[in-house]
mmCIF file of all heavy atoms in Angstrom:
data_model
loop_
_atom_site.group_PDB
_atom_site.id
_atom_site.type_symbol
_atom_site.label_atom_id
_atom_site.label_comp_id
_atom_site.label_asym_id
_atom_site.label_seq_id
_atom_site.Cartn_x
_atom_site.Cartn_y
_atom_site.Cartn_z
ATOM 1 N N LEU A 466 -11.962 0.120 6.137
ATOM 2 C CA LEU A 466 -13.305 -0.349 5.794
ATOM 3 C C LEU A 466 -13.250 -1.664 5.017
ATOM 4 O O LEU A 466 -14.052 -2.581 5.254
ATOM 5 C CB LEU A 466 -14.034 0.717 4.967
ATOM 6 C CG LEU A 466 -14.429 1.993 5.714
ATOM 7 C CD1 LEU A 466 -14.844 3.084 4.734
ATOM 8 C CD2 LEU A 466 -15.556 1.701 6.714
ATOM 9 N N GLU A 467 -12.297 -1.763 4.091
ATOM 10 C CA GLU A 467 -12.146 -3.018 3.335
ATOM 11 C C GLU A 467 -11.819 -4.196 4.254
ATOM 12 O O GLU A 467 -12.348 -5.297 4.080
ATOM 13 C CB GLU A 467 -11.034 -2.875 2.294
ATOM 14 C CG GLU A 467 -11.490 -2.449 0.931
ATOM 15 C CD GLU A 467 -10.420 -2.712 -0.112
ATOM 16 O OE1 GLU A 467 -9.426 -1.970 -0.153
ATOM 17 O OE2 GLU A 467 -10.583 -3.679 -0.880
ATOM 18 N N GLY A 470 -14.773 -5.647 5.599
ATOM 19 C CA GLY A 470 -15.767 -6.146 4.658
ATOM 20 C C GLY A 470 -16.710 -5.112 4.091
ATOM 21 O O GLY A 470 -17.692 -5.461 3.425
ATOM 22 N N LYS A 471 -16.411 -3.826 4.301
ATOM 23 C CA LYS A 471 -17.288 -2.758 3.797
ATOM 24 C C LYS A 471 -16.720 -2.220 2.481
ATOM 25 O O LYS A 471 -16.324 -1.065 2.367
ATOM 26 C CB LYS A 471 -17.418 -1.656 4.849
ATOM 27 C CG LYS A 471 -18.021 -2.166 6.158
ATOM 28 C CD LYS A 471 -18.086 -1.080 7.219
ATOM 29 C CE LYS A 471 -18.670 -1.616 8.524
ATOM 30 N NZ LYS A 471 -18.725 -0.593 9.589
ATOM 31 N N ASN A 472 -16.711 -3.087 1.481
ATOM 32 C CA ASN A 472 -16.041 -2.775 0.222
ATOM 33 C C ASN A 472 -16.676 -1.622 -0.538
ATOM 34 O O ASN A 472 -15.970 -0.776 -1.095
ATOM 35 C CB ASN A 472 -16.019 -4.023 -0.665
ATOM 36 C CG ASN A 472 -15.186 -5.146 -0.081
ATOM 37 O OD1 ASN A 472 -14.753 -5.083 1.070
ATOM 38 N ND2 ASN A 472 -14.954 -6.189 -0.859
ATOM 39 N N GLU A 473 -17.993 -1.581 -0.568
ATOM 40 C CA GLU A 473 -18.658 -0.536 -1.341
ATOM 41 C C GLU A 473 -18.440 0.837 -0.710
ATOM 42 O O GLU A 473 -18.184 1.824 -1.411
ATOM 43 C CB GLU A 473 -20.158 -0.829 -1.457
ATOM 44 C CG GLU A 473 -20.907 0.160 -2.352
ATOM 45 C CD GLU A 473 -20.332 0.248 -3.761
ATOM 46 O OE1 GLU A 473 -19.858 -0.779 -4.299
ATOM 47 O OE2 GLU A 473 -20.350 1.362 -4.328
ATOM 48 N N GLU A 474 -18.515 0.903 0.601
ATOM 49 C CA GLU A 474 -18.267 2.174 1.293
ATOM 50 C C GLU A 474 -16.829 2.631 1.055
ATOM 51 O O GLU A 474 -16.566 3.823 0.832
ATOM 52 C CB GLU A 474 -18.535 2.023 2.794
ATOM 53 C CG GLU A 474 -18.497 3.329 3.559
ATOM 54 C CD GLU A 474 -18.816 3.188 5.030
ATOM 55 O OE1 GLU A 474 -19.275 2.101 5.443
ATOM 56 O OE2 GLU A 474 -18.593 4.175 5.771
ATOM 57 N N ALA A 475 -15.902 1.688 1.082
ATOM 58 C CA ALA A 475 -14.494 2.012 0.822
ATOM 59 C C ALA A 475 -14.312 2.522 -0.598
ATOM 60 O O ALA A 475 -13.578 3.497 -0.837
ATOM 61 C CB ALA A 475 -13.630 0.781 1.051
ATOM 62 N N HIS A 476 -14.988 1.890 -1.537
ATOM 63 C CA HIS A 476 -14.895 2.286 -2.949
ATOM 64 C C HIS A 476 -15.381 3.718 -3.145
ATOM 65 O O HIS A 476 -14.710 4.535 -3.790
ATOM 66 C CB HIS A 476 -15.724 1.306 -3.787
ATOM 67 C CG HIS A 476 -15.497 1.422 -5.248
ATOM 68 N ND1 HIS A 476 -16.043 0.556 -6.159
ATOM 69 C CD2 HIS A 476 -14.790 2.311 -5.991
ATOM 70 C CE1 HIS A 476 -15.684 0.897 -7.386
ATOM 71 N NE2 HIS A 476 -14.930 1.969 -7.307
ATOM 72 N N ILE A 507 -9.081 -1.059 -6.095
ATOM 73 C CA ILE A 507 -10.273 -1.527 -5.380
ATOM 74 C C ILE A 507 -11.352 -1.965 -6.366
ATOM 75 O O ILE A 507 -12.097 -2.921 -6.111
ATOM 76 C CB ILE A 507 -10.802 -0.461 -4.391
ATOM 77 C CG1 ILE A 507 -11.768 -1.114 -3.393
ATOM 78 C CG2 ILE A 507 -11.466 0.708 -5.107
ATOM 79 C CD1 ILE A 507 -12.159 -0.213 -2.236
ATOM 80 N N ASN A 511 -12.824 -6.006 -6.751
ATOM 81 C CA ASN A 511 -14.251 -6.304 -6.650
ATOM 82 C C ASN A 511 -14.879 -6.637 -7.999
ATOM 83 O O ASN A 511 -16.095 -6.574 -8.159
ATOM 84 C CB ASN A 511 -14.972 -5.138 -5.977
ATOM 85 C CG ASN A 511 -14.653 -5.059 -4.491
ATOM 86 O OD1 ASN A 511 -15.221 -5.790 -3.689
ATOM 87 N ND2 ASN A 511 -13.724 -4.199 -4.119
ATOM 88 N N ARG A 666 -13.990 -9.185 2.831
ATOM 89 C CA ARG A 666 -14.552 -9.755 1.600
ATOM 90 C C ARG A 666 -13.524 -9.596 0.472
ATOM 91 O O ARG A 666 -13.532 -8.630 -0.264
ATOM 92 C CB ARG A 666 -15.870 -9.058 1.259
ATOM 93 C CG ARG A 666 -16.999 -9.375 2.230
ATOM 94 C CD ARG A 666 -18.180 -8.439 2.059
ATOM 95 N NE ARG A 666 -18.556 -8.322 0.650
ATOM 96 C CZ ARG A 666 -18.982 -7.190 0.083
ATOM 97 N NH1 ARG A 666 -19.054 -6.073 0.799
ATOM 98 N NH2 ARG A 666 -19.314 -7.170 -1.184
ATOM 99 N N THR A 697 -17.424 -12.477 -5.498
ATOM 100 C CA THR A 697 -16.739 -11.209 -5.205
ATOM 101 C C THR A 697 -15.998 -10.699 -6.426
ATOM 102 O O THR A 697 -16.036 -9.502 -6.746
ATOM 103 C CB THR A 697 -15.756 -11.394 -4.037
ATOM 104 O OG1 THR A 697 -16.477 -11.853 -2.889
ATOM 105 C CG2 THR A 697 -15.050 -10.080 -3.695
#
Side-chain angles (χ1 to χ4, degrees):
L466 290 167
E467 267 196 286
K471 300 177 181 179
N472 295 10
E473 185 56 35
E474 188 178 349
H476 192 174
I507 196 170
N511 288 280
R666 291 167 48 217
T697 301

